[in-house]
Amino acid sequence: MSLNFLKLTQTFEVRYILDVIMGTVHARSLDPLPMQGPELGFHADDIERPDMEQESKQEVLENKDVIVQRVHIDGLGRTKEDCLTYEIADVFRAKNLIDVMRRAHEARQKLLRLGIFRQVDVVIDTSQGVDALPNGLDVTFDVTELRRMTGSYNTMVGNNEGCMVLGLKLPNIFGSAEKLTFQVSYGTKETSYGLSFFKPQPGHFERSFAVNLYKVAGQFPWSSLRETDRGVSTEFSFPLWKTNHTLKWEGVWRELGCLERTASFAVREESGHSLKSSLSHSMVIDTRNSAILPRRGALLKINQELAGYTGGDASFLKEDFEIQFNRRLFWDSVLSASLWGGCLLPIGDKPTCIADRFYLGGPTSVRGFSMYSIGPQSEGDYLGGEVYWAGANQMLFVTRDGPQAHLKKLAECIRWSYGAGIVLRLGNIARLELNYCIPTGVQSGDRICNGFQFGAGVRFL
C-alpha cells in the first residue's frame, strides 16, 4: 500500500513541476509538446497548490535532478527503429526537468524534419516498474507515420499554353527516411518528367545522397531557342563547419532547336544534339532570416563546374558566385546589397555552347531591361556571355495597410450605445453626468458598462 502511494506522489510531483513551467494550473498541454500522463483517479485541478514565486519555481525546476531511464517510440509501422536512435539520443543526457523538456522538443523537431511522420507528440512521466528510480523519467514519442503513397495534381496556365502537373511520392520507402518522388508535366507544347530518390544519413539529416532521372523541355523566346534535356545526376550534400556543400555529377543529352523560323544563323548553327558530362561543386553560407524577403543576414554562394573530363563533347570550366548583405535600419527599412559574377572558360578549341552561357536582364536581375536581353546578340536573338558581373543596392520599406484598408476597418468596427441621463454644470470648472447606458454595438475584447455610469470632465462628446 505504501509503495502505491509513493508512485502516486512521484507522478503528481512531476506533473506539478511541468505545470510550473507554464505558470498555470493545467498540466495537460504544452504546445508544441502535449504532455499527457496516465490517469490516476483524480485531476490536478482538484488539488490545492502552494503559492510560489516565479523565481522559486524556476529554481526548483533547474535544481531538480532527474534521470531519463527509458525513451519509447510508439506508433512505428514500417520505420526502422535504429535510424531514429540518433535523433532521440540527446534526451538521455538531460539532467533536470527543464533540460528534459528542451531536449525532447529538439528531438521532436528532428523527427518531423525526417519527413516520414505526419504528427509527433511527446509524453513525459515518471518511470514505472521494479527498476524505476525515485527521480527516473520515461519519455515517449507518439508518432503517426505518413501514408505509403501520396499524390498531387496541379494545373498551370500561361500565355497561349497550359499544362497539367501530376506528382507521386513514396515517403520512407525502405524504412530509413528514404523518399522516392515522380513528377510529370504534360503541356500543350512540351512534356517533362522527373524521377528522384533521396536518402539521408541516419543521425545526420544534413548529409544526404540523391539520384535524379529527368527529361526537361524549355522554350527561350529571347534566343529563339528550344531545348530538351534528358539526363541523370547524382549528388551528395553535407555540412562542413558553417558551410553547406554539394558534390554533383551530371550526364545530360541536350537537343537544341530553333523556336521560330526567323531564328538567326548563329542560333541555327547551335542547333543539334550534344552530350555533356560534368562534375560540379557548390558551397553556401546563408545566415539570412528569409530567402525570399530577408531583413537581416548575409549569403555567400560559390559554384564550380568542370565538363569534358568524364566524357561528352562539351568541355569547359565554369565559375560563378553570389554575395548578398541585408541590414535592418530605421523605420522598418532594410538595406540590401548584392553582387553576382561569373566566368565561362572553354577547354580546347571548341567554342562554348549557347546553353551554358550566362544571361542577364529582367525584373529579377537587371531591372528596366527585358528578360535576358543584355549582352551579345545576332539578328535580335541574344546569345549569352562568357563573363559577367552585376550589382544592386536596394532600400526596402515595409508597407502597411493603405487608406482603403483603414476605412474598411472603421466601417466594420463601429460601436454604439443609447440611453438617458442627467447633466449638472459645476460652475465653469467641469460638468457632471449620471447616465443610464445600454451598449449595443460591441466588438470582441470590449469591456462594457451596462447600466448607470457616472463621470466628470471638461472635454466631452
Side-chain angles (χ1 to χ4, degrees):
M1 188 67 181
S2 58
L3 180 60
N4 293 333
F5 178 78
L6 177 61
K7 289 182 180 179
L8 294 178
T9 304
Q10 290 173 349
T11 304
F12 168 70
E13 181 185 37
V14 172
R15 288 181 173 177
Y16 167 63
I17 297 180
L18 292 176
D19 189 21
V20 171
I21 293 181
M22 301 302 295
T24 67
V25 295
H26 298 286
R28 304 293 292 179
S29 64
L30 178 60
D31 189 30
L33 295 178
M35 298 297 177
Q36 297 179 352
E39 295 297 333
L40 300 177
F42 57 88
H43 196 276
D45 292 342
D46 300 331
I47 301 176
E48 185 178 357
R49 306 288 178 82
D51 187 14
M52 301 173 61
E53 296 294 333
Q54 189 65 30
E55 292 80 4
S56 61
K57 295 176 182 178
Q58 183 74 12
E59 185 178 356
V60 169
L61 290 169
E62 293 178 349
N63 296 333
K64 181 66 177 180
D65 294 332
V66 298
I67 297 176
V68 178
Q69 289 190 257
R70 303 178 188 86
V71 176
H72 308 276
I73 302 181
D74 294 341
L76 295 181
R78 61 185 183 277
T79 305
K80 299 178 181 178
E81 293 187 11
D82 55 351
C83 72
L84 304 179
T85 55
Y86 300 95
E87 313 297 337
I88 63 175
D90 283 346
V91 179
F92 286 102
R93 301 185 179 96
K95 301 301 182 182
N96 54 59
L97 283 171
I98 289 183
D99 201 17
V100 171
M101 300 182 70
R102 179 180 62 83
R103 292 177 185 267
H105 174 70
E106 293 174 353
R108 176 180 181 270
Q109 296 300 319
K110 291 180 180 179
L111 292 175
L112 289 172
R113 182 185 58 176
L114 294 176
I116 61 178
F117 300 121
R118 187 186 312 120
Q119 183 177 350
V120 178
D121 295 328
V122 182
V123 178
I124 301 177
D125 206 349
T126 53
S127 296
Q128 306 293 329
V130 294
D131 59 343
L133 299 176
N135 60 341
L137 291 180
D138 287 350
V139 180
T140 302
F141 294 91
D142 190 3
V143 302
T144 303
E145 293 181 333
L146 291 175
R147 290 177 294 180
R148 293 182 179 272
M149 182 183 300
T150 60
S152 61
Y153 168 82
N154 295 292
T155 57
M156 294 185 295
V157 179
N159 293 328
N160 299 321
E161 64 175 315
C163 68
M164 178 177 61
V165 181
L166 299 175
L168 188 66
K169 182 187 297 184
L170 281 72
N172 202 19
I173 184 172
F174 297 126
S176 298
E178 303 91 350
K179 179 172 59 177
L180 183 67
T181 59
F182 176 75
Q183 182 171 293
V184 58
S185 173
Y186 180 77
T188 55
K189 295 182 178 181
E190 303 288 351
T191 299
S192 303
Y193 62 81
L195 177 67
S196 63
F197 174 76
F198 171 84
K199 177 175 174 54
Q201 179 179 345
H204 303 278
F205 188 78
E206 298 81 5
R207 300 178 186 174
S208 62
F209 175 77
V211 179
N212 305 287
L213 179 67
Y214 60 88
K215 174 196 171 186
V216 179
Q219 297 182 357
F220 310 101
W222 49 86
S223 301
S224 298
L225 184 70
R226 175 190 290 112
E227 180 179 355
T228 302
D229 293 349
R230 301 173 180 89
V232 60
S233 66
T234 61
E235 58 184 73
F236 175 60
S237 302
F238 60 95
L240 183 62
W241 194 45
K242 295 184 179 181
T243 62
N244 293 307
H245 297 258
T246 300
L247 297 175
K248 181 179 180 180
W249 171 83
E250 182 180 33
V252 55
W253 168 28
R254 302 184 294 190
E255 181 181 358
L256 304 180
C258 297
L259 187 61
E260 303 288 346
R261 293 184 177 181
T262 57
S264 64
F265 178 78
V267 174
R268 294 178 183 273
E269 196 175 28
E270 296 273 2
S271 299
H273 297 268
S274 65
L275 183 63
K276 183 183 78 169
S277 177
S278 66
L279 297 171
S280 61
H281 166 261
S282 66
M283 182 195 73
V284 178
I285 303 176
D286 193 352
T287 61
R288 300 173 298 174
N289 66 317
S290 171
I292 304 300
L293 193 62
R295 296 192 177 186
R296 62 179 182 275
L299 169 69
L300 172 61
K301 187 175 183 179
I302 302 175
N303 298 301
Q304 303 98 27
E305 183 179 8
L306 178 63
Y309 279 86
T310 54
D313 53 12
S315 299
F316 61 83
L317 175 63
K318 190 175 184 179
E319 299 272 350
D320 66 284
F321 69 89
E322 179 181 354
I323 302 174
Q324 184 184 105
F325 295 97
N326 302 278
R327 179 158 187 174
R328 194 167 184 172
L329 301 178
F330 51 87
W331 296 336
D332 251 356
S333 62
V334 178
L335 177 63
S336 179
S338 302
L339 178 64
W340 297 355
C343 180
L344 177 64
L345 302 175
I347 299 176
D349 299 332
K350 189 174 182 179
T352 58
C353 177
I354 188 174
D356 297 317
R357 299 183 192 131
F358 300 106
Y359 293 85
L360 275 179
T364 58
S365 59
V366 184
R367 296 166 180 83
F369 294 83
S370 297
M371 183 66 70
Y372 300 144
S373 62
I374 297 177
Q377 61 168 304
S378 174
E379 303 175 27
D381 293 334
Y382 293 90
L383 308 178
E386 295 182 342
V387 180
Y388 86 102
W389 72 272
N393 290 317
Q394 304 179 57
M395 181 73 77
L396 306 176
F397 293 90
V398 179
T399 59
R400 306 184 183 279
D401 294 337
Q404 293 181 349
H406 288 302
L407 292 175
K408 184 177 180 180
K409 289 183 179 179
L410 289 175
E412 293 175 348
C413 301
I414 297 177
R415 279 86 162 171
W416 70 90
S417 65
Y418 58 92
I422 300 174
V423 178
L424 175 64
R425 188 181 71 176
L426 191 62
N428 291 323
I429 301 176
R431 97 184 210 175
L432 306 179
E433 293 188 6
L434 179 62
N435 299 311
Y436 185 88
C437 306
I438 303 176
T440 304
V442 180
Q443 301 290 330
S444 176
D446 294 346
R447 181 178 297 176
I448 63 174
C449 180
N450 193 0
F452 287 101
Q453 187 178 37
F454 175 78
V458 296
R459 187 171 182 264
F460 49 91
L461 184 65

